[in-house]
C-alpha cells in the first residue's frame, strides 16, 4: 500500500502510517529500530531496495531523506515537504517513508525526522554516497546510535578514509570495513590452524580500494608487521599473503564466489568468499549497535 502526501508535515505523515498499518493489518510492535537513509533521487531506489531486503532480518521503520534541488529561483525559495508512505508488501516486513524536502527545509531535516522516529527504539543513520565530514556532529547523525558511511562510493576513497579517521566517534562505521568481515574471519581461522608467527603481510587489490587499505591497517595494528600493498586488476581485494617462518599463508580470490586457501604443510582448500550485496552489508551492521573498536583501531592506525 502506498500513500502520497503533498505539502505535508510530520503529524500528517504519522497519521498516514497509522492508517496504512490498519488497512493492511500490519502492527508496529515487531519493529526493532528506525533506519534513516540520507541520499538523493539518483541513489534512492537502490538504497530503499537494500533496506527493504535487510528489513527481513531486522524489521524497521525506514525514513528516506531526499533533498530536492529546484532549478528556478522561485522553486529554490519554496519550502515544502512531500512524502510517500509505503506499508505492507511495498515495504517488506517494516514500513518505509520517502521524505522529499524542498528549499530551506533541507537544512532542517532533523526537525522533520525526529517526530517520525519509533519511540524507545535505536536509530541507525546511513549515507549511501556522500556523508558529512563529521557524521556524529551532523544534526541527523546526532540522533543516531549507529552511523554508516561508504567510502567505496565516493570519488576519492582514500581521502575519505582520512576524513573518517580524523572525525571518528563511537558509533561510526563504514561499509568498506563491513565488506572485510569474511576476509578477517578466514584469516583468523587460517592463523589458528597454522599455529605460527606472522613476520610480514601483503594485500593485493585494485588501486585505491578502501577495504584493502583498512585490511592492511588491521594487519599492522593486530600483528605489528610490515604490510605491502600490491595493485592488481581486481575486482576488489584479490589476495592476501602472510609470511611465516614455515612458509607463506595465502588466500586467493581473483574472481567469483570462492577463494583458495594455502597453508604450509597442509593441502590447498577451496573456501566460500563471495562479494556480498549492499543489503547483506546493511543487515550485518544492524546486528550490532555498540561501538566497533576493531574498526576504530584499524581506521586510526598509522596516523
Amino acid at each position: 500500500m502506498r500513500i502520497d502526501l503533498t505539502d505535508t508535515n510530520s503529524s500528517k505523515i504519522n497519521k498516514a502510517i497509522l492508517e496504512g498499518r490498519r488497512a493492511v493489518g500490519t502492527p508496529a510492535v515487531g519493529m526493532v529500530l528506525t533506519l534513516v537513509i540520507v541520499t538523493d533521487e539518483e541513489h534512492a531506489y537502490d538504497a530503499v531496495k537494500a533496506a527493504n531486503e535487510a528489513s527481513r532480518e531486522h524489521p524497521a521503520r525506514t525514513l528516506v531523506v531526499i533533498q530536492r534541488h529546484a532549478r528556478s529561483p522561485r522553486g529554490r525559495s519554496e519550502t515544502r515537504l512531500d512524502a510517500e508512505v509505503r506499508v505492507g508488501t511495498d515495504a517488506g516486513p517494516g514500513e518505509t517513508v520517502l521524505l522529499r524536502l524542498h528549499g530551506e527545509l533541507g537544512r532542517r531535516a532533523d526537525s522533520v525526522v525526529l517526530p517520525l522516529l519509533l519511540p524507545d527504539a535505536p536509530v541507525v543513520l546511513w549515507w549511501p554516497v556522500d556523508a558529512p565530514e563529521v557524521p556524529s556532529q551532523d544534526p541527523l547523525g546526532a540522533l543516531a546510535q549507529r552511523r554508516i558511511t561508504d567510502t567505496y562510493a565516493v570519488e576519492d576513497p582514500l581521502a575519505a578514509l582520512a576524513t573518517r579517521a580524523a572525525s571518528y566517534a563511537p558509533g561510526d562505521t563504514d561499509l568498506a570495513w563491513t565488506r572485510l568481515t569474511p576476509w578477517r574471519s578466514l584469516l583468523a581461522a587460517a592463523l589458528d590452524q597454522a599455529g605460527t608467527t606472522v613476520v610480514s603481510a601483503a594485500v593485493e587489490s585494485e588501486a585505491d580500494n578502501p577495504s584493502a587499505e583498512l585490511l592492511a591497517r588491521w594487519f599492522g595494528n593486530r600483528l605489528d608487521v610490515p604490510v605491502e600493498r600490491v595493485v592488481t586488476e581486481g575486482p576488489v581485494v584479490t589476495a592476501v599473503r602472510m609470511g611465516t617462518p614455515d612458509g607463506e599463508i595465502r588466500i586467493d580470490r581473483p574472481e567469483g564466489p570462492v577463494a583458495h586457501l594455502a597453508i604450509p604443510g597442509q593441502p590447498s582448500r577451496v573456501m566460500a568468499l563471495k562479494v556480498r550485496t549492499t543489503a547483506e552489508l546493511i543487515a550485518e551492521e544492524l546486528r550490532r549497535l555498540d561501538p566497533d573498536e576493531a574498526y576504530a583501531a584499524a581506521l586510526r592506525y598509522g596516523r
Side-chain angles (χ1 to χ4, degrees):
M1 180 178 183
R2 300 191 183 199
I3 304 172
D4 290 319
L5 302 172
T6 303
D7 197 6
T8 187
N9 56 46
S10 298
S11 177
K12 294 178 181 178
I13 294 171
N14 266 321
K15 183 178 179 180
I17 294 172
L18 183 59
E19 291 175 351
R21 285 207 308 262
R22 287 173 176 170
V24 301
T26 304
V29 292
M31 297 185 199
V32 297
L33 57 88
T34 302
L35 174 62
V36 182
I37 303 173
V38 182
T39 186
D40 52 25
E41 288 286 2
E42 179 183 356
H43 300 92
Y45 175 83
D46 290 336
V48 171
K49 182 180 178 182
N52 285 346
E53 291 178 13
S55 71
R56 297 193 182 104
E57 183 177 337
H58 310 277
R61 173 176 290 180
T62 301
L63 306 176
V64 187
V65 179
I66 304 171
Q67 186 170 359
R68 298 296 298 269
H69 299 281
R71 297 181 179 181
S72 66
R74 180 180 178 181
R76 287 193 293 270
S77 65
E78 181 182 22
T79 299
R80 190 178 83 244
L81 170 63
D82 297 334
E84 180 184 334
V85 178
R86 302 177 182 177
V87 294
T89 56
D90 290 314
E95 54 196 21
T96 301
V97 183
L98 276 68
L99 304 166
R100 292 182 169 87
L101 283 59
H102 300 256
E104 287 298 315
L105 192 61
R107 300 179 182 273
R108 301 191 297 273
D110 55 317
S111 65
V112 176
V113 168
L114 186 59
L116 301 176
L117 301 178
L118 288 173
D120 303 320
V123 179
V124 177
L125 190 64
W126 173 31
W127 291 274
V129 185
D130 296 318
E133 287 194 5
V134 187
S136 62
Q137 295 181 14
D138 179 79
L140 284 173
L143 302 175
Q145 286 76 46
R146 193 75 160 178
R147 296 169 294 274
I148 305 171
T149 56
D150 191 359
T151 50
Y152 194 82
V154 301
E155 185 175 350
D156 191 341
L158 299 187
L161 272 184
T163 301
R164 297 281 81 83
S167 65
Y168 175 82
D172 291 355
T173 190
D174 196 279
L175 294 186
W177 174 254
T178 317
R179 292 181 178 95
L180 293 175
T181 300
W183 278 96
R184 293 188 294 121
S185 299
L186 188 54
L187 288 164
L191 284 177
D192 286 342
Q193 294 175 41
T196 186
T197 302
V198 177
V199 296
S200 64
V203 177
E204 302 180 9
S205 76
E206 60 191 356
D208 298 328
N209 184 283
S211 294
E213 177 65 22
L214 285 171
L215 185 58
R217 296 184 189 184
W218 179 69
F219 268 132
N221 175 256
R222 298 303 296 263
L223 301 177
D224 193 25
V225 297
V227 183
E228 181 185 4
R229 295 164 179 80
V230 180
V231 176
T232 66
E233 294 183 358
V236 295
V237 179
T238 55
V240 173
R241 294 180 279 113
M242 295 182 289
T244 75
D246 302 321
E248 187 176 76
I249 301 172
R250 184 179 180 93
I251 299 176
D252 278 298
R253 187 192 64 183
E255 58 183 353
V258 298
H260 296 272
L261 170 62
I263 300 176
Q266 300 184 24
S268 178
R269 276 164 279 179
V270 177
M271 314 290 289
L273 195 62
K274 70 172 185 176
V275 177
R276 297 184 294 167
T277 66
T278 303
E280 291 172 313
L281 301 176
I282 292 297
E284 179 185 325
E285 284 299 333
L286 298 182
R287 290 184 200 126
R288 52 173 295 178
L289 302 180
D290 55 315
D292 192 336
E293 296 179 358
Y295 166 67
L299 182 67
R300 291 173 163 175
Y301 178 77
R303 291 188 68 234

